[in-house]
Amino acid sequence: MRIKILGSGQDAGIPHTGCNCEVCDKARDHNENRRLGPSIAILDDNGDFCYLIDASPDFKYQLDMIRGEINEKKRNGRLPISGILLTHAHLGHFSGLWQLGREAVNENELPVFCTLKMKHVLLDNYPFNLLIQNKNIEVVEIHLQKEFKLNGLTGIPIKVPHRDEVGDTVGYIFQSKKRIIYIPDIDSWTDEVLNEIRNSDIAIIDGTFYSKGEIPEHDEVPHPSILETITLLGDIRNEIYFTHINHTNPINIKGQERKELERKGYKIAYDGMTIEI
Ligand SMILES: [Zn+2]
Ligand SMILES: [Zn+2]
Ligand SMILES: [Zn+2]
């Protein structure tokens, strides 16, 4: 099995909407510098299944990134994916679901895994309620800290502290041959989550900002800075990838910050990156 990073950017991706900073302008000129909205795919090596974590605003381009990697349709759907697992109700993580409706794919009962609170966000709000009514998606409820099975993979949703204007936020632990944790968004690390990261073989985690104060409104959109995260984690023996990277983050350019992270053994996710699990 393998994970493919479909989007390593913060919710709005890079280039960021309406921004003309150096990083965003470079990404407009050079595709390899882009970061799409946050999403990963879990792909079976035999092509038997493919699960997406989150449906970003760049969903349609991200489907193109896994084109040809599924060799057999295992369900009666229109898209070559087996289901979507949601983390939370922010722009970058669920707005791509709209593409499953009649204006676009008109998908047939695609399983969408989420918590009860997230299910209510979908049931209570247009256009997601229409996707349910029209049977474009079928919501599968999963429970915090409770295992669920996805073909040969075990998943566990874990609670993550994050500004939850609606719904709630989860990260996911997956157990295959390896233990993997995916947490694209978190307000601040808890001991519990840090221990889960330390106990994983592979952790793909929130790297939105490199340092505090990178944007003036940091208090309104809190994320642990990468500097804080690497201080808390210290010497690492597992694979840790930073993702959900904002356009303001200096690790977007090949400078001192990037070099220092790599020297310490940390990895920086990029779109199209494949990780064997
Ligand atoms: Zn996000
Ligand atoms: Zn920018
Ligand atoms: Zn968020």
Side-chain angles (χ1 to χ4, degrees), residues 10 12-29 34 214-215 217 246-249 252:
Q10 176 268 357
I14 300 177
H16 198 88
T17 313
C19 179
N20 290 105
C21 76
E22 202 181 321
V23 168
C24 290
D25 274 348
K26 193 171 175 193
R28 284 188 186 94
D29 292 338
R34 287 179 181 242
E214 204 169 290
I215 59 166
E217 58 275 42
N246 200 49
H247 62 126
T248 54
N249 193 321
N252 284 302

Side-chain angles (χ1 to χ4, degrees), residues 11 88 90 93 162-163 185 244:
D11 290 41
H88 66 299
H90 281 160
H93 302 267
H162 188 42
R163 54 193 171 86
D185 264 282
H244 199 273

Side-chain angles (χ1 to χ4, degrees), residues 147-163:
E147 286 186 6
F148 62 99
K149 297 283 180 197
L150 300 170
N151 301 73
L153 193 69
T154 301
I156 308 170
I158 59 164
K159 176 107 187 81
V160 168
H162 188 42
R163 54 193 171 86

